Amino acid sequence: QVQLVESGGGLVQPGGSLRLSCEASGFAWNYLAIGWFRQVPGKEREGVSCIKKDGTAYYVPSVKGRFTISSDDAKKTVDLQMNTLNPDDTATYYCARTECFASPGGSFFYTSPTDWGQGTQVTVSS
């Protein structure tokens, strides 16, 4: 059974940092890409960052320069280091297996995300 589990969320003040981790279990660590997504109640899910098997990373413009995605195949994890957080980053963050591609304007798009984790809450507030 495929399972992705997110961890690392919490409450942080504006300007602070958090490191989210997405850990896989139950399947061979075989993926095209792993994406991090976030969602606020009442709003559409947003793709935040994505890393391909070859290490190519993509970010939505609003997090470029602040967030860094990385993968560790030995540990079967994909981490999202989030720095200089602001209240607009408040959301539930999810990871999923997906495919991702560069899009015009410096962002990316993704297709057919699967194997969603349960999510981890990130709250940025003073």
Side-chain angles (χ1 to χ4, degrees):
Q1 181 179 355
V2 175
Q3 187 174 13
L4 294 175
V5 179
E6 303 94 339
S7 62
L11 173 64
V12 64
Q13 292 187 342
S17 298
L18 283 174
R19 188 176 183 90
L20 305 184
S21 186
C22 172
E23 184 174 3
S25 64
F27 67 98
W29 191 227
N30 181 21
Y31 62 95
L32 293 174
I34 299 291
W36 277 99
F37 306 83
R38 64 187 179 188
Q39 190 163 26
V40 176
K43 294 188 177 181
E44 290 189 1
R45 179 182 63 204
E46 176 185 34
V48 175
S49 182
C50 186
I51 188 165
K52 297 172 66 173
K53 188 69 171 176
D54 66 3
T56 304
Y58 302 104
Y59 302 92
V60 66
S62 63
V63 308
K64 272 188 178 180
R66 301 189 298 122
F67 290 12
T68 303
I69 192 169
S70 60
S71 63
D72 187 327
D73 285 349
K75 295 181 180 180
K76 298 202 302 185
T77 58
V78 172
D79 289 355
L80 185 68
Q81 177 66 42
M82 306 188 298
N83 298 328
T84 321
L85 287 161
N86 63 64
D88 289 340
D89 297 315
T90 295
T92 302
Y93 284 71
Y94 302 88
C95 62
R97 285 201 288 182
T98 186
E99 295 186 61
C100 51
F101 310 89
S103 66
S107 188
F108 72 97
F109 66 95
Y110 58 90
T111 62
S112 306
T114 62
D115 305 323
W116 294 94
Q118 83 290 346
T120 186
Q121 178 66 37
V122 172
T123 302
V124 185
S125 175
S126 56

Coordinates of all heavy atoms in Angstrom, one line a residue, residues 31-81:
Y31 N 9.3 7.2 -8.7 CA 8.4 8.3 -9.0 C 9.0 9.2 -10.1 O 10.2 9.2 -10.3 CB 8.2 9.2 -7.7 CG 9.5 9.9 -7.2 CD1 9.8 11.2 -7.6 CD2 10.3 9.2 -6.4 CE1 10.9 11.8 -7.2 CE2 11.5 9.8 -5.9 CZ 11.8 11.1 -6.3 OH 13.0 11.7 -5.9
L32 N 8.1 9.9 -10.7 CA 8.5 10.8 -11.7 C 8.8 12.2 -11.1 O 9.8 12.8 -11.4 CB 7.4 11.0 -12.8 CG 7.1 9.8 -13.7 CD1 6.0 10.1 -14.6 CD2 8.4 9.5 -14.5
A33 N 8.0 12.5 -10.2 CA 8.2 13.8 -9.4 C 7.4 13.7 -8.1 O 6.4 13.0 -8.0 CB 7.8 15.0 -10.2
I34 N 7.8 14.5 -7.2 CA 7.0 14.7 -5.9 C 6.7 16.2 -5.8 O 7.6 17.0 -5.9 CB 7.8 14.2 -4.7 CG1 8.1 12.7 -4.8 CG2 7.0 14.5 -3.4 CD1 6.9 11.8 -4.6
G35 N 5.5 16.5 -5.6 CA 5.1 17.9 -5.4 C 4.6 18.2 -4.0 O 4.1 17.3 -3.3
W36 N 4.8 19.4 -3.7 CA 4.3 20.0 -2.5 C 3.1 21.0 -2.9 O 3.3 21.8 -3.8 CB 5.3 20.7 -1.6 CG 6.1 19.9 -0.7 CD1 7.4 19.4 -1.0 CD2 5.7 19.4 0.5 NE1 7.8 18.6 0.1 CE2 6.8 18.6 1.0 CE3 4.6 19.5 1.3 CZ2 6.8 17.9 2.3 CZ3 4.5 18.9 2.6 CH2 5.6 18.1 3.0
F37 N 2.0 20.8 -2.2 CA 0.8 21.6 -2.5 C 0.3 22.2 -1.2 O 0.6 21.7 -0.2 CB -0.3 20.7 -3.2 CG 0.2 19.9 -4.4 CD1 0.9 18.7 -4.2 CD2 0.0 20.4 -5.6 CE1 1.4 18.0 -5.3 CE2 0.4 19.7 -6.7 CZ 1.1 18.5 -6.6
R38 N -0.5 23.3 -1.4 CA -1.1 23.8 -0.2 C -2.5 24.2 -0.5 O -2.9 24.5 -1.6 CB -0.3 25.0 0.4 CG -0.2 26.2 -0.5 CD 0.8 27.2 0.1 NE 1.0 28.4 -0.8 CZ 1.8 29.3 -0.6 NH1 2.7 29.3 0.5 NH2 1.9 30.4 -1.4
Q39 N -3.3 24.2 0.5 CA -4.7 24.6 0.4 C -5.2 25.3 1.6 O -5.0 24.9 2.7 CB -5.6 23.4 0.1 CG -7.0 23.7 -0.4 CD -7.7 22.6 -1.0 OE1 -7.4 21.4 -0.8 NE2 -8.7 22.9 -1.9
V40 N -6.0 26.4 1.3 CA -6.7 27.1 2.4 C -8.2 26.8 2.2 O -8.6 26.8 1.0 CB -6.4 28.6 2.2 CG1 -7.2 29.4 3.3 CG2 -4.9 28.9 2.4
P41 N -8.9 26.7 3.3 CA -10.4 26.4 3.1 C -11.0 27.5 2.2 O -10.8 28.7 2.4 CB -10.9 26.4 4.5 CG -9.7 26.0 5.4 CD -8.5 26.6 4.7
G42 N -11.8 27.0 1.3 CA -12.5 27.9 0.4 C -11.7 28.3 -0.8 O -12.3 29.1 -1.7
K43 N -10.5 27.9 -0.9 CA -9.6 28.3 -2.1 C -9.2 27.1 -2.8 O -9.1 26.0 -2.2 CB -8.5 29.2 -1.6 CG -8.8 30.5 -1.1 CD -7.6 31.4 -0.8 CE -8.0 32.8 -0.3 NZ -6.8 33.6 -0.1
E44 N -8.8 27.2 -4.0 CA -8.2 26.1 -4.8 C -6.9 25.7 -4.3 O -6.1 26.5 -3.8 CB -8.1 26.5 -6.3 CG -9.5 26.7 -7.0 CD -9.3 26.9 -8.5 OE1 -8.2 26.8 -8.9 OE2 -10.3 27.0 -9.1
R45 N -6.6 24.4 -4.5 CA -5.3 23.9 -4.1 C -4.3 24.5 -5.0 O -4.5 24.7 -6.2 CB -5.3 22.4 -4.4 CG -4.0 21.7 -4.1 CD -4.1 20.2 -4.4 NE -4.4 20.0 -5.8 CZ -5.1 18.9 -6.2 NH1 -5.5 18.0 -5.4 NH2 -5.3 18.8 -7.5
E46 N -3.1 24.8 -4.4 CA -2.0 25.5 -5.2 C -0.8 24.6 -5.2 O -0.4 24.1 -4.1 CB -1.7 26.8 -4.5 CG -0.5 27.6 -5.2 CD -0.2 28.8 -4.4 OE1 -0.3 28.9 -3.2 OE2 0.3 29.8 -5.1
G47 N -0.2 24.4 -6.3 CA 1.1 23.7 -6.4 C 2.2 24.7 -5.9 O 2.3 25.8 -6.5
V48 N 3.0 24.3 -5.0 CA 4.0 25.2 -4.4 C 5.3 24.9 -4.9 O 6.1 25.8 -5.3 CB 4.0 25.0 -2.8 CG1 5.1 25.9 -2.2 CG2 2.7 25.4 -2.2
S49 N 5.7 23.7 -5.0 CA 7.0 23.3 -5.5 C 7.0 21.8 -5.9 O 6.1 21.1 -5.5 CB 8.0 23.5 -4.4 OG 9.3 23.1 -4.8
C50 N 7.9 21.5 -6.8 CA 7.9 20.1 -7.3 C 9.4 19.8 -7.6 O 10.1 20.6 -8.1 CB 7.1 20.1 -8.6 SG 6.9 18.4 -9.3
I51 N 9.7 18.5 -7.4 CA 11.1 18.0 -7.7 C 11.0 16.8 -8.5 O 10.2 15.8 -8.2 CB 11.9 17.9 -6.5 CG1 13.4 17.6 -6.8 CG2 11.4 16.8 -5.5 CD1 14.4 17.7 -5.7
K52 N 11.7 16.7 -9.6 CA 11.7 15.6 -10.5 C 12.7 14.6 -10.0 O 13.6 14.9 -9.2 CB 11.9 16.0 -11.9 CG 10.8 16.9 -12.5 CD 11.2 17.5 -13.9 CE 11.3 16.4 -14.9 NZ 11.5 17.0 -16.3
K53 N 12.7 13.4 -10.6 CA 13.6 12.3 -10.2 C 15.1 12.7 -10.5 O 16.0 12.4 -9.7 CB 13.3 11.0 -10.9 CG 14.1 9.8 -10.5 CD 13.6 9.4 -9.1 CE 14.3 8.0 -8.7 NZ 14.0 7.6 -7.4
D54 N 15.2 13.5 -11.5 CA 16.6 14.0 -11.9 C 17.1 15.2 -11.1 O 18.1 15.7 -11.3 CB 16.7 14.3 -13.4 CG 15.9 15.5 -13.8 OD1 15.2 16.1 -12.9 OD2 15.8 15.8 -15.0
G55 N 16.2 15.6 -10.1 CA 16.6 16.7 -9.2 C 16.2 18.1 -9.7 O 16.3 19.1 -9.0
T56 N 15.6 18.2 -10.9 CA 15.1 19.5 -11.4 C 14.0 19.9 -10.5 O 13.0 19.2 -10.2 CB 14.5 19.3 -12.8 OG1 15.6 18.8 -13.7 CG2 14.1 20.7 -13.3
A57 N 14.1 21.2 -10.0 CA 13.1 21.7 -9.1 C 12.3 22.9 -9.7 O 12.9 23.7 -10.4 CB 13.8 22.1 -7.8
Y58 N 11.1 23.0 -9.3 CA 10.2 24.1 -9.7 C 9.6 24.7 -8.5 O 9.3 24.0 -7.5 CB 9.2 23.6 -10.7 CG 9.7 22.9 -11.9 CD1 9.6 21.5 -12.0 CD2 10.2 23.6 -13.0 CE1 10.1 20.8 -13.2 CE2 10.7 22.9 -14.1 CZ 10.6 21.6 -14.2 OH 11.1 20.9 -15.3
Y59 N 9.3 26.0 -8.7 CA 8.6 26.7 -7.6 C 7.5 27.7 -8.2 O 7.7 28.2 -9.3 CB 9.6 27.6 -6.8 CG 10.7 26.8 -6.2 CD1 11.9 26.6 -6.9 CD2 10.6 26.2 -4.9 CE1 12.9 25.8 -6.3 CE2 11.6 25.4 -4.4 CZ 12.8 25.3 -5.1 OH 13.8 24.5 -4.5
V60 N 6.5 27.9 -7.4 CA 5.6 28.9 -7.8 C 6.2 30.3 -7.5 O 7.0 30.4 -6.5 CB 4.2 28.8 -7.0 CG1 4.4 29.0 -5.5 CG2 3.1 29.6 -7.6
P61 N 6.0 31.3 -8.3 CA 6.8 32.6 -8.1 C 6.7 33.1 -6.7 O 7.7 33.7 -6.2 CB 6.1 33.5 -9.1 CG 5.7 32.6 -10.2 CD 5.2 31.3 -9.6
S62 N 5.6 33.0 -6.0 CA 5.4 33.6 -4.7 C 6.4 33.0 -3.6 O 6.5 33.6 -2.6 CB 4.0 33.5 -4.2 OG 3.6 32.1 -4.0
V63 N 7.0 31.8 -3.9 CA 7.9 31.2 -2.9 C 9.3 31.1 -3.4 O 10.2 30.8 -2.6 CB 7.4 29.8 -2.5 CG1 5.9 29.9 -2.0 CG2 7.6 28.8 -3.6
K64 N 9.5 31.5 -4.6 CA 10.9 31.5 -5.1 C 11.8 32.3 -4.3 O 11.5 33.5 -3.9 CB 10.9 32.0 -6.6 CG 10.7 30.9 -7.6 CD 10.9 31.4 -9.0 CE 10.7 30.3 -10.0 NZ 10.9 30.8 -11.4
G65 N 13.0 31.8 -4.0 CA 14.0 32.5 -3.2 C 13.7 32.3 -1.7 O 14.6 32.7 -0.9
R66 N 12.6 31.8 -1.3 CA 12.3 31.6 0.1 C 12.2 30.1 0.4 O 12.5 29.7 1.6 CB 10.9 32.2 0.5 CG 10.9 33.7 0.3 CD 9.7 34.4 0.8 NE 8.4 33.9 0.2 CZ 7.5 33.3 0.9 NH1 7.5 33.1 2.2 NH2 6.4 32.9 0.3
F67 N 11.6 29.3 -0.5 CA 11.5 27.8 -0.3 C 12.5 27.1 -1.1 O 12.8 27.5 -2.2 CB 10.1 27.4 -0.7 CG 8.9 27.9 0.2 CD1 9.1 28.9 1.1 CD2 7.7 27.4 0.0 CE1 8.0 29.3 1.9 CE2 6.6 27.8 0.8 CZ 6.8 28.8 1.7
T68 N 12.9 25.9 -0.5 CA 13.8 25.0 -1.2 C 13.3 23.6 -1.1 O 13.1 23.2 0.1 CB 15.3 25.2 -0.7 OG1 15.7 26.5 -0.8 CG2 16.2 24.3 -1.5
I69 N 13.2 22.9 -2.2 CA 12.8 21.5 -2.2 C 14.0 20.7 -2.4 O 14.9 21.0 -3.1 CB 11.7 21.3 -3.2 CG1 11.0 19.9 -3.0 CG2 12.2 21.4 -4.6 CD1 9.8 19.7 -3.9
S70 N 14.0 19.5 -1.7 CA 15.1 18.6 -1.8 C 14.6 17.2 -1.6 O 13.6 16.9 -1.0 CB 16.2 18.9 -0.8 OG 15.8 18.8 0.5
S71 N 15.3 16.2 -2.2 CA 14.9 14.8 -2.1 C 16.1 14.0 -1.6 O 17.3 14.3 -1.8 CB 14.4 14.3 -3.4 OG 15.5 14.3 -4.4
D72 N 15.8 12.9 -0.9 CA 16.8 12.0 -0.4 C 16.3 10.6 -0.7 O 15.4 10.1 0.0 CB 17.0 12.2 1.1 CG 18.2 11.4 1.7 OD1 18.4 10.2 1.2 OD2 18.8 11.8 2.6
D73 N 16.8 10.0 -1.7 CA 16.3 8.7 -2.2 C 16.6 7.6 -1.1 O 15.8 6.7 -1.0 CB 16.9 8.3 -3.5 CG 16.3 9.1 -4.7 OD1 15.3 9.8 -4.4 OD2 16.8 9.1 -5.8
A74 N 17.7 7.7 -0.4 CA 18.0 6.7 0.6 C 17.0 6.7 1.7 O 16.6 5.7 2.2 CB 19.4 7.0 1.1
K75 N 16.5 7.9 2.1 CA 15.5 8.0 3.2 C 14.1 8.0 2.6 O 13.2 7.9 3.4 CB 15.8 9.3 3.9 CG 17.1 9.3 4.7 CD 17.2 10.6 5.5 CE 18.5 10.7 6.2 NZ 18.7 12.0 7.0
K76 N 13.9 8.1 1.3 CA 12.6 8.1 0.7 C 11.8 9.3 1.2 O 10.7 9.2 1.7 CB 11.8 6.8 0.9 CG 12.5 5.6 0.2 CD 11.6 4.5 -0.1 CE 10.8 3.9 1.0 NZ 10.1 2.7 0.7
T77 N 12.5 10.5 1.2 CA 11.9 11.7 1.7 C 12.1 12.8 0.7 O 13.0 12.9 -0.1 CB 12.5 12.2 3.0 OG1 13.9 12.4 2.9 CG2 12.2 11.1 4.1
V78 N 11.1 13.7 0.7 CA 11.2 15.0 0.0 C 10.9 16.1 1.0 O 9.8 16.1 1.5 CB 10.3 15.1 -1.2 CG1 10.3 16.4 -1.9 CG2 10.7 14.0 -2.3
D79 N 11.8 17.0 1.2 CA 11.7 18.0 2.2 C 11.4 19.4 1.5 O 11.8 19.6 0.4 CB 12.9 18.2 3.0 CG 13.1 17.0 4.0 OD1 12.2 16.1 4.0 OD2 14.2 16.9 4.7
L80 N 10.7 20.2 2.2 CA 10.5 21.6 1.8 C 10.9 22.5 2.9 O 10.3 22.6 3.9 CB 9.0 21.8 1.5 CG 8.7 23.2 0.8 CD1 9.3 23.3 -0.6 CD2 7.2 23.4 0.8
Q81 N 12.1 23.2 2.7 CA 12.6 24.2 3.6 C 11.9 25.5 3.3 O 12.0 26.0 2.2 CB 14.1 24.3 3.5 CG 14.7 25.4 4.4 CD 14.6 25.1 5.8 OE1 14.8 23.9 6.3 NE2 14.2 26.1 6.6

